[in-house]
Amino acid sequence: MSGFGCVVLAAGKGTRFYSDTPKVLHDLHGRSILQHVLDAAAACGFNRPVVVIGHGAEGVWRFLKGKAVPVVQKRQLGTADAVKSAKRELSRFGDIAVLYGDVPLVRKETLESLIRQHDASASSCTVLTVDMDDPSGYGRIIRDISGGVKAIVEEKEATPEEKEIREINVGLYCFDRRDLFEAISKVQKSKIKKEFYLTDAIAILLEDGKKVSAFKTDDPDESIGMNSRADLAKAYSVLNRRKIKELINGSVTVLDPATTFVSPDARIGKDTVIYPFTVIEKDVVIGKRCAIGPFCRLRPGTVIEDDAEIGNFVEIVRSTLRSHAKAKHLTYLGDAVVGKETNVGCGTITANYDGKKKSRTVIGDKVFVGSGTILVAPVKVGNGAVTGAGSVILKNKNIPARSVAVGVPARILNKSKKAKGKR
Ligand code: UD1
Ligand code: CA
């Protein structure tokens, strides 16, 4: 795709988010809206796209550091004006892919197909479209009698008949760069919204005798624009459905997709079973043959190795559970390592935060952590040790291997019986 540049428009205010945070920085299943768009662009080889920023520019600028070439649009005068503000940065490219920073679900495959079609058809512009059951809010695709694209009409400017059209503009285009900037220079302010619409460049190109093509996808889900928090919720469930589909069409059992939430970034091994009401966040890795849930939450940085079991009301963050470890009921594990074949009893808590900093808890292999144990970090429990029910292991009071610790605060009783021969 040499000669192809990419610009992402992300300067808009996001008025209907009613937020102090720039719209494109809102979280969508573990990544910001804009990050999703950058990831789709990167997947197609656009590693440092030009990103037009404006509203909340400082925050977005910081976010983009090293990831993109930011360009500031001083006043948000519309999408045509936004592209215009990136003219200099785009000048070395023959063709330009224009993406909207608030359309985060577009898949790499779709973007690639659009680019391929644009190349093959030698058009001045190729626009991505889709049929939406409810097209309200989107620009409508007006076609001529032979089926070619004639214009894009924004909802606010559309006649009642045009509003009936279900084919919409996704907000993803390829343009011949020279033709694009020539057309943009002719775009007039729209009558009602008083903005310079990029979509008006389409009709201008046609008037100038240029070729405009449409590429229609059949997946309306990937075309949702994030204009309100209701759209954000819709997008979250689309991403979730996509991920669960990938899992159940592969080698993972998800018993109840409707109550299971899995980040697109989580990795789960073969023959693992996910029980209902489970939340698996980003940067979670689960091995093979594990049982997860019901009612558990695995937060970022959790690694569950093969054959481990995580049961109900267990929360885990930044922790590793080695193979065959079990934490089956009412447990919090934060900044911890749990060794092989260790059983973490019901109600165990790693007290990892002292109000100032977080510390680690390291539990060895084949440990039996008694019900209701509190481990005040930093602390270590040696291999084969046992903690009594309700014991409180104070920080830095490490429990030696194969010993038994009981009480509040815990004291070491004797060598565990298990240690004396059974293991
Ligand atoms: C836009 C399209 C519409 C399409 C829809 C798809 C136009 C005129 N309309 O409508 O046809 O169906 O997206 O979701 O393009 N932006 C800037 N600077 C500006 C204005 C906007 O950078 O001055 C950015 C926004 O941050 C956003 C994108 O451009 O990421 C689209 O702008 P938005 O105002 O959301 O357009 P829509 O009304 O959604
Ligand atoms: Ca939008």
Side-chain angles (χ1 to χ4, degrees):
M1 276 161 211
S2 65
F4 236 103
C6 177
V7 60
V8 178
L9 309 188
K13 189 155 190 286
T15 318
R16 280 175 287 156
F17 262 66
Y18 307 107
S19 176
D20 294 334
T21 304
K23 172 171 86 171
V24 291
L25 295 189
H26 276 252
D27 181 79
L28 170 54
H29 225 327
R31 277 183 264 172
S32 67
I33 293 173
L34 185 53
Q35 186 64 53
H36 284 274
V37 179
L38 296 180
D39 289 343
C44 294
F46 301 120
N47 288 314
R48 286 192 86 224
V50 178
V51 179
V52 181
I53 62 177
H55 182 77
E58 256 176 53
V60 187
W61 184 288
R62 250 180 281 128
F63 166 79
L64 288 173
K65 209 167 171 231
K67 299 178 179 175
V69 179
V71 166
V72 177
Q73 180 194 21
K74 289 204 183 73
R75 289 195 296 149
Q76 281 67 69
L77 299 176
T79 43
D81 182 73
V83 175
K84 200 172 167 183
S85 54
K87 187 173 179 183
R88 195 161 50 91
E89 284 72 13
L90 296 171
S91 60
R92 63 195 169 94
F93 301 108
D95 290 271
I96 310 288
V98 179
L99 279 64
Y100 286 178
D102 68 344
V103 182
L105 301 186
V106 173
R107 286 173 306 130
K108 157 185 176 258
E109 293 77 12
T110 307
L111 184 48
E112 275 172 355
S113 304
L114 179 79
I115 291 169
R116 255 199 311 276
Q117 170 159 336
H118 180 72
D119 263 345
S121 67
S123 300
S124 275
C125 170
T126 309
V127 50
L128 184 68
T129 77
V130 73
D131 287 334
M132 283 264 188
D133 288 340
D134 175 11
S136 52
Y138 294 95
R140 309 298 206 279
I141 306 294
I142 313 294
R143 299 225 178 216
D144 59 26
I145 36 171
S146 58
V149 178
K150 208 167 101 186
I152 299 175
V153 178
E154 291 306 302
E155 165 118 346
K156 284 213 166 71
E157 329 272 328
T159 63
E161 294 76 42
E162 287 167 340
K163 282 188 184 153
E164 294 296 313
I165 296 170
R166 287 177 44 232
E167 188 182 9
I168 63 107
N169 170 33
V170 174
L172 193 58
Y173 328 71
C174 292
F175 286 96
D176 174 274
R177 180 184 55 84
R178 282 173 201 278
D179 293 346
L180 167 66
F181 285 104
E182 199 183 322
I184 281 179
S185 70
K186 296 179 188 170
V187 169
Q188 305 279 315
K189 249 187 202 165
S190 65
K191 288 198 190 75
I192 295 169
K193 229 180 151 194
K194 308 277 183 250
E195 280 188 8
F196 296 92
Y197 289 154
L198 180 60
T199 44
D200 284 349
I202 308 293
I204 294 169
L205 286 170
L206 288 164
E207 272 163 37
D208 289 350
K210 310 281 185 192
K211 185 174 173 187
V212 175
S213 312
F215 175 72
K216 196 171 182 176
T217 80
D218 54 8
D219 179 9
D221 279 352
E222 69 177 320
S223 312
I224 310 172
M226 300 296 99
N227 297 311
S228 67
R229 296 179 199 240
D231 293 325
L232 196 63
K234 247 190 257 172
Y236 179 91
S237 81
V238 168
L239 282 174
N240 203 51
R241 261 185 279 136
R242 258 190 210 170
K243 180 67 182 185
I244 288 176
K245 200 168 155 192
E246 172 199 311
L247 295 173
I248 59 184
N249 287 341
S251 59
V252 175
T253 298
V254 177
L255 291 175
D256 185 14
T259 62
T260 304
F261 304 91
V262 186
S263 159
D265 300 323
R267 284 188 284 138
I268 305 179
K270 196 174 182 177
D271 290 326
T272 282
V273 180
I274 314 285
Y275 291 89
F277 298 99
T278 290
V279 178
I280 298 173
E281 299 180 8
K282 68 172 174 181
D283 302 330
V284 171
V285 180
I286 300 173
K288 296 178 192 159
R289 300 175 299 277
C290 295
I292 309 291
F295 295 99
C296 90
R297 180 179 180 207
L298 305 183
R299 294 172 53 203
T302 297
V303 176
I304 310 286
E305 294 184 356
D306 297 348
D307 302 291
E309 293 178 41
I310 310 301
N312 36 226
F313 305 106
V314 174
E315 175 185 348
I316 306 179
V317 65
R318 297 181 304 275
S319 295
T320 296
L321 273 75
R322 304 241 181 264
S323 59
H324 292 278
K326 288 182 190 166
K328 298 197 64 165
H329 338 263
L330 298 159
T331 287
Y332 171 67
L333 297 169
D335 303 293
V337 175
V338 175
K340 287 180 188 163
E341 294 178 46
T342 283
N343 186 77
V344 177
C346 175
T348 296
I349 290 170
T350 54
N352 60 333
Y353 184 53
D354 62 6
K356 291 195 188 84
K357 62 175 189 326
K358 301 209 168 105
S359 302
R360 289 170 61 74
T361 301
V362 179
I363 305 172
D365 297 342
K366 297 187 179 179
V367 171
F368 185 87
V369 181
S371 296
T373 298
I374 297 179
L375 297 134
V376 184
V379 74
K380 288 183 183 164
V381 181
N383 292 343
V386 173
T387 69
S391 56
V392 176
I393 318 291
L394 295 186
K395 67 177 169 188
N396 297 316
K397 299 282 181 197
N398 295 345
I399 309 297
R402 289 170 287 281
S403 60
V404 176
V406 295
V408 182
R411 59 208 155 77
I412 312 296
L413 270 189
N414 56 352
K415 293 263 174 174
S416 110
K417 281 183 192 149
K418 280 183 185 172
K420 283 181 185 157
K422 290 193 178 167
R423 279 173 189 237

